[in-house]
């Protein structure tokens, strides 16, 4: 058989396959979500997310130590406050759960990179991502509290803020308040194309943030839409975002590809709770090889064009990368 091109030549053994990999990953591009519960001492397993824990303020440094031991140097913080009200006032309290967690981490691990999720849904008693006017979330009133919340995170020592609420104009509002207070160097990672997804189910039970009525379709994006993601990214770029994000990841690889092709900003993807829970459940049922599916799923997100990934598997992935099993 006369064949000039034989693609199999570059698949013949592990060494040549590793040489020719087109997608490279690094533990540096992984971000681990940490849930801090103000009412908790020690740690408590999160039922909806097997293998994940809630951390009390007394043990949040333990979460950091686990990350560092695995080679993960970046986290995104979520808070479960002791107190909720209609406007989510503990979101911006100087002694709020996230603010206290940041200080505790930064005191012991100043180099550990702390991103904070900026949203109201964990702090409002109705579970929506902003201030209500009747049964609607009032966009412009919400901007004020989001901006105050982001500022309080940065004042407590956060390295980066990540608004996940999907209000219009929030990046501009946050950029303005940070700049006014001299935090011109603090980056904003915008959850730009965040879809109204069923994949957030386990997170909402973990963070106690399910809406008490209705849904989030009035502010999060319709999963049918692709061009709208480009529009959301364009607006966030104009408003001063430093990093764009697509969320969820696996069902939105096309969106990750298009947005990363269209914009020069670094692109983050969030492999959300439902994606993680599905792998865990299938693995627990003996139906799949968890390790290989974890690796392949993460890899596909980078191949689609993401430069960084928020994932509950960050620690295991960092180790898989270090072993050379992926990336
Ligand atoms: C807050 C927020 C959510 C997630 C991240 N930030 C939940 C939501 O929008 O309902 C989801 C993360 C996950 O599912 O892992 N708004």
């Amino acid at each position: 058989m006369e064949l000039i091109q034989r693609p199999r030549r570059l698949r013949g053994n592990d060494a040549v396959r590793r040489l020719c990999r087109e997608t490279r990953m690094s533990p540096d591009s992984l971000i681990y979500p940490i849930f801090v519960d103000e009412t908790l001492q020690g740690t408590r397993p999160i039922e909806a997310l097997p293998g994940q824990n809630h951390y009390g303020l007394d043990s949040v440094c333990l979460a950091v130590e686990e990350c560092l031991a695995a080679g993960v140097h970046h986290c995104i913080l979520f808070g479960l406050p002791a107190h909720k009200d209609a406007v989510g006032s503990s979101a911006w309290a100087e002694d709020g759960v996230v603010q206290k967690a940041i200080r505790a981490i930064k005191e012991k691990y100043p180099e550990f990179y702390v991103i904070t999720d900026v949203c109201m849904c964990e702090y409002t008693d109705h579970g929506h991502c902003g201030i209500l006017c009747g049964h609607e979330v009032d966009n412009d009133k919400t901007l004020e509290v989001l901006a105050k919340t982001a500022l309080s995170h940065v004042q407590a020592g956060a390295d980066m803020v990540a608004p996940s609420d999907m209000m219009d104009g929030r990046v501009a509002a946050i950029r303005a308040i940070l700049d006014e207070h001299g935090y011109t160097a603090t980056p904003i990672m915008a959850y730009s194309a965040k879809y109204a997804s069923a994949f957030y189910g386990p997170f909402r039970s973990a963070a106690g943030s399910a809406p008490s009525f209705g849904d989030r379709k009035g502010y999060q994006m319709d999963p049918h839409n692709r061009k709208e993601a480009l529009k959301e990214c364009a607006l966030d770029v104009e408003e001063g975002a430093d990093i764009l994000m697509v969320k969820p990841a696996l069902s939105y690889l096309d969106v990750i590809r298009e947005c990363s092709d269209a914009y020069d900003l670094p692109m983050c993807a969030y492999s959300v709770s439902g994606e993680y829970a599905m792998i865990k459940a299938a693995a627990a049922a003996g139906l799949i090889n968890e390790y290989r599916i974890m690796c392949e799923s993460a890899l596909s997100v980078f191949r689609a064009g993401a430069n960084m990934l928020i994932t509950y598997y960050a620690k295991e992935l960092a180790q898989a990368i270090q072993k050379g099993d992926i990336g």
Side-chain angles (χ1 to χ4, degrees), residues 195-256:
Y195 286 87
S197 170
F199 285 96
Y200 309 148
F203 173 96
R204 289 182 189 170
S205 103
S209 66
S212 60
F213 66 88
D215 53 42
R216 303 211 202 289
K217 290 179 187 164
Y219 36 103
Q220 298 180 349
M221 279 181 51
D222 184 336
H224 296 81
N225 297 349
R226 177 178 67 80
K227 284 193 282 188
E228 193 186 3
L230 291 165
K231 172 167 131 190
E232 284 285 3
C233 287
L235 289 171
D236 286 348
V237 172
E238 267 171 42
E239 290 178 31
D242 299 279
I243 299 174
L244 304 174
M245 192 201 299
V246 172
K247 174 185 174 191
L250 264 199
S251 291
Y252 297 85
L253 295 177
D254 56 330
V255 180
I256 296 174

Side-chain angles (χ1 to χ4, degrees), residues 25-307:
M25 295 164 62
S26 155
D28 288 334
S29 49
L30 300 173
I31 302 165
Y32 183 65
I34 298 177
F35 294 90
V36 190
D37 182 343
E38 195 170 15
T39 65
L40 178 67
Q41 290 197 331
T43 66
R44 181 184 57 220
I46 301 177
E47 243 173 74
L49 293 171
Q52 303 297 311
N53 289 298
H54 283 118
Y55 293 85
L57 281 161
D58 60 347
S59 55
V60 68
C61 283
L62 177 66
V64 175
E65 282 146 27
E66 290 164 356
C67 283
L68 292 173
V72 173
H73 298 274
H74 307 79
C75 78
I76 183 160
L77 276 186
F78 295 96
L80 285 79
H83 166 76
K84 301 190 190 215
D85 59 30
V87 295
S89 58
S90 53
W92 64 85
E94 203 192 322
D95 62 348
V97 55
V98 165
Q99 292 79 356
K100 283 192 281 197
I102 298 165
R103 287 197 199 91
I105 293 173
K106 285 294 177 182
E107 194 179 318
K108 218 166 158 200
Y109 299 104
E111 304 294 320
F112 190 73
Y113 201 87
V114 177
I115 306 168
T116 58
D117 182 86
V118 176
C119 195
M120 307 312 292
C121 61
E122 293 107 312
Y123 303 88
T124 52
D125 50 17
H126 46 75
H128 276 286
C129 300
I131 309 269
L132 290 183
C133 183
H135 270 193
E136 292 294 320
V137 175
D138 184 312
N139 192 85
D140 300 11
K141 272 197 199 130
T142 302
L143 296 185
E144 278 169 49
V145 293
L146 289 169
K148 277 200 281 191
T149 301
L151 176 65
S152 72
H153 290 175
V154 174
Q155 284 172 331
D159 295 295
M160 183 187 286
V161 288
S164 70
D165 51 283
M166 289 302 280
M167 297 301 125
D168 297 330
R170 77 274 170 78
V171 172
I174 292 172
R175 187 70 272 158
I177 201 170
L178 293 184
D179 289 356
E180 238 169 73
H181 288 78
Y183 297 108
T184 54
T186 304
I188 299 173
M189 177 159 76
Y191 284 73
S192 305
K194 176 172 175 180
Y195 286 87
S197 170
F199 285 96
Y200 309 148
F203 173 96
R204 289 182 189 170
S205 103
S209 66
S212 60
F213 66 88
D215 53 42
R216 303 211 202 289
K217 290 179 187 164
Y219 36 103
Q220 298 180 349
M221 279 181 51
D222 184 336
H224 296 81
N225 297 349
R226 177 178 67 80
K227 284 193 282 188
E228 193 186 3
L230 291 165
K231 172 167 131 190
E232 284 285 3
C233 287
L235 289 171
D236 286 348
V237 172
E238 267 171 42
E239 290 178 31
D242 299 279
I243 299 174
L244 304 174
M245 192 201 299
V246 172
K247 174 185 174 191
L250 264 199
S251 291
Y252 297 85
L253 295 177
D254 56 330
V255 180
I256 296 174
R257 166 53 60 204
E258 284 203 68
C259 292
S260 74
D261 283 350
Y263 299 99
D264 292 336
L265 270 57
M267 176 62 61
C268 182
Y270 195 145
S271 182
V272 301
S273 55
E275 300 178 46
Y276 174 84
M278 286 198 309
I279 298 178
K280 280 284 176 193
L287 300 173
I288 58 166
N289 178 325
E290 178 181 10
Y291 184 75
R292 292 190 56 204
I293 297 259
M294 166 190 84
C295 289
E296 194 173 326
S297 306
L299 173 59
S300 69
V301 177
F302 284 91
R303 196 188 59 233
N307 309 105

